[in-house]
Amino acid sequence: MAIRMSKKTGLIVAIVIVAVGAIVGVALSRNSSNPSDSTPQSNNASDLTLPIITWNETTLSTLKGTPVVLNFWSISCPYCVEQLPYLEDVAQQSKGEIKVIAINMVDNAASVQNFFGDYKPTMTVALDSNREAFVGYCLVYNNTRGAIPFTLFVDSEGVIQYVKIGAFASEEELWNTLHDVFGITIP
């Protein structure tokens, strides 16, 4: 015996199924803001070489022995620009205990230099012009929408310990994350 639904009932059932599927998908792909809950699929940070605005270039593997904060950003992203001072303060206050690399993956070198003007940041400012590093990390760390800011915390052994998709609400939140991930406190 077949059950017949009206078109209206069938449409409602279809909408409910799609909505439940979307909610489940979002719940499964959602990245926790609690460092202890973050479990990356691959812990090793890919070795990358990027042109640097503040000096020639850097390779991530040469920074082993020092925790590194990699932050992908662009000038046109207001949340990225808002948190750059937090990252700069960490670079200044940590006095080399943490290496902060702000990686612009949208703008060209001249635009980034113009953005900073006469200010010489303590943090390293790099370019990922072809977005190769950004896309690679997005694929591995479930940033399927390519959201920025996108921040990775790499320990002194080159292992990614935590990933943050989205902006830090405050400098305090960034320092708390550094403490939770690396055991580093505000000087």
Side-chain angles (χ1 to χ4, degrees), residues 7 77 80 121:
K7 287 183 180 180
C77 166
C80 299

Side-chain angles (χ1 to χ4, degrees), residues 11-143:
L11 181 60
I12 291 172
V13 168
I15 290 172
V16 169
I17 290 171
V18 169
V20 168
I23 290 169
V24 168
V26 167
L28 291 175
S29 68
R30 187 166 173 233
N31 205 4
S32 174
S33 62
N34 181 352
S36 62
D37 292 342
S38 179
T39 309
Q41 295 172 4
S42 169
N43 282 346
N44 292 327
S46 300
D47 196 22
L48 57 113
T49 301
L50 299 169
I52 302 296
I53 297 294
T54 50
W55 35 285
N56 292 336
E57 67 178 34
T58 191
T59 301
L60 192 55
S61 62
T62 64
L63 301 174
K64 271 196 175 175
T66 305
V68 178
V69 176
L70 295 175
N71 175 262
F72 291 92
W73 69 287
S74 82
I75 294 169
S76 61
C77 166
Y79 299 109
C80 299
V81 171
E82 184 177 315
Q83 81 174 11
L84 280 176
Y86 310 157
L87 295 165
E88 177 66 359
D89 284 348
V90 166
Q92 289 175 353
Q93 292 180 38
S94 70
K95 296 181 173 45
E97 190 176 347
I98 304 167
K99 185 72 172 172
V100 178
I101 305 176
I103 306 168
N104 186 298
M105 21 57 74
V106 173
D107 308 294
N108 63 36
S111 297
V112 173
Q113 287 173 331
N114 191 35
F115 172 78
F116 284 104
D118 291 335
Y119 182 75
K120 303 287 186 230
T122 302
M123 66 183 165
T124 301
V125 180
L127 295 179
D128 182 21
S129 302
N130 63 6
R131 300 176 66 131
E132 186 177 323
F134 177 69
V135 169
Y137 282 123
C138 284
L139 291 172
V140 173
Y141 293 99
N142 205 26
N143 186 1

